[in-house]
Amino acid sequence: MKEEHRLIKNTGLIALGNLSTKLVSFFLLPLYTALLTTNQYGTVDYIISISTFCVPFATMLMDESMFRYLIDAKNDNERKSIISVAVKVTGVGILIVSAICGILYLFINKVMILVFLMYMISSVVATLFSAFLRGIGRTDWYALYNCITGILNVILNVTLIAVFRFGVYGMLFAFIIAQSSVAIFTAFRIHVWRFIDFKASGNYREMLRYSIPMIPNSISWSIINLSDRIVIMNVLGASASGLYAVAYKFPTLMDTVYGFFYQSWKESSARALAKDDSDAFFQKIFVYLINFLISVVLLMTAFMPIIFRFFVNHRYYSAIYCVPILLFATFFSNLSGFFGGVFTAHKNTWILGTTTVWSAIINLVLNIVLIKTMGIYAAAFATLLSSFFIYWYRRMKVKGMVKLSYSKRIIFINIIASGVVLSLFMVQTPLAIISSCIFAIGYSIVLNKQILGIVVSGIKAKFFN
C-alpha cells in the first residue's frame, strides 16, 4: 500500500473512531453555557486542565512508547512483552498518583480530590486502551470503543446536568462513567488479559528511553494550556476563566481534526523512513498540511460570528474575539506537531521535550507580565507567541533530518487572505460576515485544489468504476 493511501485510510479510521468522543464537548456547548455559570464552567475547565497535566506522570507516556514499538514488533511474543511493560509501568504510576492524592485528601476539598482522581484514572485508561487497540491492529474495536464512549457521554451529560442538575460534578462524572464502563466492557469482550503476561521480561530501558523524553513535551503542552487557566483564575477570577475556556473550545475543535491526522502520521512517518522516497513523501504532506490548516483557520474565523451565536449563550459572547488569536496559535502548534512526527519516526524524542519546555516558559512569563493590562487576551497572545516559537525552533531542528520547503509567494498570499478575513471578522455586520464566508470558501478551494482532486478521484474510483 502506498504510504499516502495508508495515511489517508488510517486518518479516516481514526476520525471515525474519535469523532463522537472528541466533538462531544463542542456540541454540548449550548447545554453547558445555558445551565452552567461562567464561574462553574471555569471551575470544571480548571480541574480538567490539571488532570491533563498529571496524566503523563501516571502513564510515563508508555502508551506512546507501546504504540511505536508495536509497529516494529515481529511476532506475538514481542507484542505481549511490549504491552505488558506498558501496563506494569502505568499501573505503578497510577498507584503513586493515588498515594499523593490520598495525602492531599487530608488537607483539601475531599470531594473534589476524589472526583479529580477518578477523572484522571479514567483518562489514563482511555489513553492506554486507544494505543493498545490500534497497536494490535483492532481498528474496528478502536472505532467502536470511541463511538460508544461518545454517545454514552452525551446521554450522561444531558441526564446529569439538565435533568438532575448536578452542575460541575455532573459534567465530570459523565466522562468518568462513560470511559470506565466502556473500557470494562471492551476488556472482557476482547479478552485483554490474553495480551498481558506479568511474568514476561520486557525491554523496560529501551521503552522508557523513548517515552521519558516525551514527558517534558507533554507536560509543557499542558503547562501552556494550564498556565493560561491558573493565571486567569488567580488574577481575573473563575468567570474570566470560563470565558476563556469557551473561546478555547473552537481551536480545540481544530486541534481535534488535526489530531486524527497526527495519530496516523506518527505511524506513516515511521514506515516511510524505510523507503527511498521518504523526503519526497514528507515534502508533499508538509505542503498539503499547511494549505489545509490555513484554510481551516480562515473558514472558522469567517464563520465564527454565526457559529458563536448558535452554540454559545449570549453571556459568553465577549470571548469571541479571542478565538482567531487562538486559531492561529493552534495552526503553529499543529505544524510543530508535524515536525514531532518526523522526530518520533527517527526515535529522537529528546528534541520534543527541549523545544516544548522553552515554549512553556515563554508562555508562562508572557501570561504573568501581560495579564493585568490585557486581561484574557494576554493568555491568547501568550499562547500564539509560544506556539510560533516552538514551530520555528522545531523547523530549524528538522532540517538535519529532512528537507522541507513552502513557496514564499504562497506565504505572502496567505498573509493577505488572513488580513482580509480578520478585518471582516472585526466589523461583524451581516454584509461583512457573508463576504468573509464567501471569500474564505473560495480561497480554501483554490488553495487545496490538489487535495480535493485526490479525494474526488478516490471517490470516483471507489463508486463509479
Side-chain angles (χ1 to χ4, degrees):
M1 181 187 294
K2 292 183 65 176
E3 205 52 56
E4 292 96 326
H5 295 163
R6 187 195 300 275
L7 179 61
I8 293 171
K9 178 183 176 182
N10 286 349
T11 300
L13 288 171
I14 291 168
L16 178 65
N18 281 280
L19 202 58
S20 59
T21 302
K22 298 294 185 181
L23 299 185
V24 162
S25 60
F26 178 77
F27 287 110
L28 286 174
L29 264 181
L31 176 69
Y32 295 152
T33 56
L35 298 180
L36 298 178
T37 66
T38 55
N39 192 297
Q40 288 176 315
Y41 196 80
T43 302
V44 171
D45 185 69
Y46 189 62
I47 293 171
I48 293 173
S49 297
I50 293 175
S51 174
T52 303
F53 176 79
C54 292
V55 165
F57 289 105
T59 63
M60 296 294 287
L61 288 183
M62 290 305 288
D63 56 301
E64 295 275 359
S65 186
M66 175 177 66
F67 178 71
R68 179 62 185 89
Y69 280 89
L70 283 173
I71 293 175
D72 297 335
K74 297 179 177 61
N75 53 59
D76 289 340
N77 286 334
E78 284 189 15
R79 293 186 186 92
K80 183 178 288 189
S81 175
I82 291 166
I83 294 167
S84 299
V85 169
V87 171
K88 284 187 279 188
V89 172
T90 303
V92 172
I94 290 175
L95 289 175
I96 293 172
V97 174
S98 298
I100 295 172
C101 286
I103 296 171
L104 294 175
Y105 181 85
L106 301 173
F107 305 100
I108 304 176
N109 186 313
K110 292 179 170 54
V111 176
M112 197 64 75
I113 286 292
L114 288 175
V115 173
F116 162 77
L117 181 59
M118 288 188 288
Y119 186 94
M120 193 209 67
I121 292 176
S122 60
S123 298
V124 169
V125 171
T127 300
L128 203 61
F129 247 108
S130 294
F132 163 72
L133 292 172
R134 287 184 60 219
I136 63 173
R138 292 302 304 266
T139 51
D140 53 345
W141 270 102
Y142 172 80
L144 185 62
Y145 177 92
N146 286 285
C147 282
I148 295 175
T149 302
I151 294 169
L152 187 57
N153 203 358
V154 170
I155 295 171
L156 289 169
N157 264 282
V158 173
T159 303
L160 297 179
I161 297 176
V163 179
F164 292 102
R165 304 282 177 161
F166 285 166
V168 171
Y169 295 111
M171 186 175 172
L172 295 171
F173 273 115
F175 178 89
I176 294 167
I177 296 170
Q179 293 287 357
S180 302
S181 57
V182 177
I184 292 170
F185 170 77
T186 306
F188 279 96
R189 187 65 181 81
I190 67 173
H191 303 137
V192 69
W193 48 86
R194 294 184 295 117
F195 302 91
I196 302 171
D197 183 2
F198 291 114
K199 295 181 180 179
S201 59
N203 199 332
Y204 291 86
R205 182 175 297 179
E206 186 177 350
M207 290 183 68
L208 286 169
R209 188 183 297 124
Y210 177 89
S211 66
I212 287 177
M214 297 179 72
I215 294 175
N217 174 62
S218 181
I219 292 172
S220 296
W221 280 119
S222 297
I223 289 174
I224 291 172
N225 293 323
L226 185 59
S227 63
D228 294 342
R229 272 69 168 184
I230 290 175
V231 175
I232 291 174
M233 178 75 79
N234 288 281
V235 177
L236 303 178
S239 182
S241 182
L243 290 173
Y244 188 75
V246 168
Y248 218 108
K249 284 294 179 185
F250 298 93
T252 299
L253 179 62
M254 175 182 170
D255 205 37
T256 295
V257 174
Y258 172 78
F260 302 152
F261 161 81
Y262 180 64
Q263 289 186 57
S264 57
W265 169 242
K266 288 187 292 185
E267 179 179 351
S268 290
S269 59
R271 294 181 185 277
L273 285 181
K275 300 178 181 179
D276 295 332
D277 61 345
S278 60
D279 280 9
F281 172 69
F282 288 142
Q283 169 63 24
K284 184 186 295 184
I285 301 302
F286 179 61
V287 173
Y288 286 167
L289 182 63
I290 293 179
N291 292 344
F292 175 75
L293 289 177
I294 194 66
S295 298
V296 172
V297 171
L298 296 183
L299 286 167
M300 290 189 71
T301 301
F303 280 89
M304 194 51 55
I306 300 172
I307 297 171
F308 221 82
R309 286 181 174 90
F310 183 77
F311 280 101
V312 180
N313 189 277
H314 65 88
R315 293 175 298 171
Y316 293 78
Y317 196 80
S318 60
I320 192 174
Y321 297 102
C322 284
V323 176
I325 304 170
L326 294 171
L327 285 173
F328 278 100
T330 305
F331 168 79
F332 287 114
S333 67
N334 286 168
L335 286 180
S336 67
F338 172 84
F339 300 141
V342 178
F343 298 143
T344 56
H346 286 269
K347 294 184 179 178
N348 188 345
T349 53
W350 284 101
I351 297 176
L352 298 177
T354 55
T355 53
T356 347
V357 165
W358 279 110
S359 180
I361 293 171
I362 291 171
N363 186 77
L364 180 58
V365 170
L366 288 173
N367 265 308
I368 294 172
V369 171
L370 300 175
I371 192 69
K372 288 188 177 180
T373 56
M374 298 180 65
I376 62 173
Y377 296 101
F381 277 110
T383 302
L384 173 60
L385 293 174
S386 60
S387 296
F388 177 78
F389 169 80
I390 195 171
Y391 158 77
W392 173 82
Y393 197 118
R394 289 187 181 180
R395 183 77 174 84
M396 297 299 103
K397 291 291 184 179
V398 84
K399 288 181 178 179
M401 300 178 183
V402 60
K403 294 181 180 179
L404 300 171
S405 62
Y406 189 78
S407 169
K408 292 181 179 179
R409 181 179 67 87
I410 302 301
I411 291 176
F412 178 75
I413 295 173
N414 286 344
I415 293 173
I416 298 298
S418 299
V420 171
V421 172
L422 286 171
S423 299
L424 293 171
F425 170 84
M426 295 303 296
V427 175
Q428 288 204 20
T429 62
L431 179 60
I433 293 171
I434 294 171
S435 300
S436 181
C437 292
I438 293 173
F439 175 82
I441 292 171
Y443 185 75
S444 298
I445 291 173
V446 173
L447 193 61
N448 294 277
K449 59 184 179 181
Q450 288 182 301
I451 301 175
L452 293 173
I454 294 172
V455 173
V456 171
S457 299
I459 292 174
K460 286 181 177 179
K462 184 75 173 178
F463 297 103
F464 298 102
N465 288 344

